Amino acid sequence: MTTIRRIVAPLCLFVTYFSFAMPSSADGSRGLMRAISDGGTPVFLVAAAALPLARDGKAARDHAIRAIDTLGTAFVASEALKSVVKERRPDGSERDSFPSGHATLAFAAATMESAYHPKEAPLWYGGAAIIGWSRVSLRKHHTYDVLAGAALGYGIGRLEISRPHGIVLAPWIGRDSRSAGMAFAGKF
């Protein structure tokens, strides 16, 4: 696959989503932020887990499982912090503002994909930053919630990359390349 196709693939997913899901409202920027936050984030995360299967050759399965491992770990860490900190959201709706789960997951995904495809790093981190900003713009998070989520997601992604078999899910491939499975590992 050419470099151009590798760079354009994540961008195409966003453009496709927004061309069909963009709400028509008087406040276009708020509608765009809502579309990014509510619909763009899942598209971004699915792309981070699924694109390796389509384009990473022999490493595809390992990259996809490691992306899923990172996202799962980031989700658990973010939710654990939310349950301890119990900070009220800027719009006053709930007490689960810190850290931003959207930012945590987006930056974890961006870190993984950027490690495997360094030339795409600006697109992945740019997408993650837009997702984080959408949460601030919608008054669902304070800026520091998003920055903390970004740091948490980035840190978990770097930890995943530094470990030979991931954090929680350790991909296991049998001696004959036809058999595959997963093992669960970790220290609690």
Side-chain angles (χ1 to χ4, degrees):
M1 203 178 261
T2 66
T3 303
I4 293 172
R5 286 177 62 195
R6 287 182 181 183
I7 291 172
V8 171
L11 188 59
C12 286
L13 288 171
F14 274 126
V15 170
T16 302
Y17 173 76
F18 290 124
S19 65
F20 291 106
M22 183 65 192
S24 58
S25 68
D27 183 6
S29 65
R30 187 157 174 82
L32 176 62
M33 290 298 120
R34 188 170 289 117
I36 291 169
S37 178
D38 296 344
T41 303
V43 170
F44 189 82
L45 300 177
V46 168
L51 281 175
L53 294 172
R55 63 186 187 150
D56 288 359
K58 291 180 181 179
R61 183 177 304 158
D62 182 51
H63 289 181
I65 290 172
R66 292 188 69 149
I68 292 166
D69 184 29
T70 303
L71 292 173
T73 304
F75 176 78
V76 169
S78 175
E79 292 302 309
L81 276 171
K82 285 176 185 277
S83 70
V84 171
V85 176
K86 297 185 187 286
E87 180 179 332
R88 187 168 297 281
R89 291 181 181 269
D91 66 1
S93 61
E94 298 175 40
R95 288 194 167 276
D96 60 351
S97 186
F98 185 88
S100 167
H102 283 71
T104 302
L105 292 171
F107 276 89
T111 302
M112 292 303 293
E113 286 304 311
S114 296
Y116 295 133
H117 305 283
K119 291 181 180 177
E120 295 176 15
L123 289 174
W124 285 104
Y125 284 118
I130 290 168
I131 288 168
W133 181 249
S134 74
R135 303 301 287 166
V136 173
S137 176
L138 293 171
R139 296 186 31 86
K140 291 295 184 180
H141 289 287
H142 302 281
T143 302
Y144 56 84
D145 298 336
V146 170
L147 293 174
L152 180 62
Y154 178 81
I156 289 171
R158 294 308 306 166
L159 179 63
E160 175 78 33
I161 300 275
S162 72
R163 298 177 54 102
H165 296 291
I167 300 171
V168 178
L169 300 175
W172 174 80
I173 300 174
R175 290 185 182 203
D176 66 346
S177 59
R178 296 176 305 204
S179 64
M182 275 191 288
F184 292 92
K187 294 181 180 179
F188 298 97

